[in-house]
Amino acid sequence: MSNYIVETKDLIKSFKNFKAVNGIDLKVKEGTIYGFLGPNGAGKSTTIRMLLGLIKATSGEVMVFGKNIKGKREEILRDIGALVETPSYYEHLTSYENLEITRVVLKLNKTEIDRVLALVGLSEVRNKKVKEFSLGMKQRLGIAQALMGNPKLIIIFGFKF
Ligand SMILES: Nc1ncnc2c1ncn2[C@@H]1O[C@H](COP(=O)(O)OP(=O)(O)OP(=O)(O)O)[C@@H](O)[C@H]1O
Ligand SMILES: [Mg+2]
């Protein structure tokens, strides 16, 4: 077993004959904050999509929590909270109701919604519709959603301040 929470080995993704990701060896240690940077078109989003099992690698391996994403995707995703690029919400629902959907999907206790709303400072506006939210409030809501269920790994990515 490796002591990395995320590890990729010679990860490659080709689109037709174009290599978007060319042999990445990522190593992210448990308990750390990892900045994944690179110029536009470098392959960051493509890599993150492979980490989350949203697209298949052309070759190479993705290990999360020491388990291979191939075959263990559901088990791994249960312990990942992700906020990738522009999250979408049900605009006509409140922040509380949006989180309620996530809560039901993840089979969590109702108190979890109160916990994450308080953590991101949205308790006061829990009953406000998301369409009436400012950009910063929406971003906080995205973080709250990613924190639900106290995941072992949080991926906050492509997030513009
Ligand atoms: N579905 C696709 N089909 C073909 N080429 C793709 C596809 N997705 C991405 N690419 C190409 O792969 C390369 C990497 O794209 P990617 O979106 O991973 O970059 P990025 O590092 O996230 O860039 P940015 O900082 O602009 O978000 C780019 O050249 C892009 O045009
Ligand atoms: Mg990108």
Side-chain angles (χ1 to χ4, degrees):
M1 274 275 281
S2 77
N3 59 339
Y4 297 106
I5 201 151
V6 177
E7 186 173 13
T8 69
K9 291 176 190 159
D10 199 16
L11 192 62
I12 293 173
K13 179 69 185 182
S14 302
F15 293 108
K16 296 196 178 134
N17 48 18
F18 173 74
K19 267 190 184 168
V21 174
N22 190 6
I24 285 199
D25 295 293
L26 266 183
K27 286 180 168 63
V28 182
K29 281 192 178 152
E30 192 171 349
T32 60
I33 296 174
Y34 190 97
F36 189 47
L37 309 174
N40 297 139
K44 304 178 296 295
S45 295
T46 306
T47 302
I48 296 287
R49 286 185 193 121
M50 290 191 278
L51 290 187
L52 294 169
L54 298 173
I55 55 170
K56 277 189 188 155
T58 303
S59 64
E61 274 185 22
V62 177
M63 310 287 291
V64 183
F65 312 129
K67 298 174 219 170
N68 199 311
I69 192 95
K70 273 188 214 151
K72 299 262 179 177
R73 185 171 168 260
E74 273 187 35
E75 192 181 316
I76 290 169
L77 287 185
R78 208 172 298 146
D79 290 321
I80 301 183
L83 172 51
V84 178
E85 288 156 3
T86 328
S88 55
Y89 305 109
Y90 293 99
E91 297 267 326
H92 62 292
L93 299 181
T94 66
S95 51
Y96 188 93
E97 289 163 343
N98 271 279
L99 293 178
E100 172 66 9
I101 295 166
T102 311
R103 184 194 74 80
V104 170
V105 172
L106 298 176
K107 299 187 177 73
L108 301 170
N109 199 291
K110 287 233 181 214
T111 56
E112 189 60 7
I113 303 180
D114 303 315
R115 185 185 77 88
V116 295
L117 281 172
L119 262 178
V120 302
L122 287 180
S123 304
E124 305 271 293
V125 289
R126 60 198 292 141
N127 295 321
K128 202 177 174 103
K129 288 188 174 155
V130 169
K131 68 178 172 200
E132 293 163 7
F133 265 24
S134 70
L135 175 65
M137 286 168 167
K138 283 185 191 168
Q139 291 175 325
R140 281 168 189 259
L141 179 58
I143 293 171
Q145 192 176 33
L147 294 173
M148 279 189 85
N150 208 12
K152 284 193 228 161
L153 170 65
I154 299 166
I155 298 177
I156 295 184
F157 179 71
F159 198 59
K160 294 169 187 76
F161 292 95

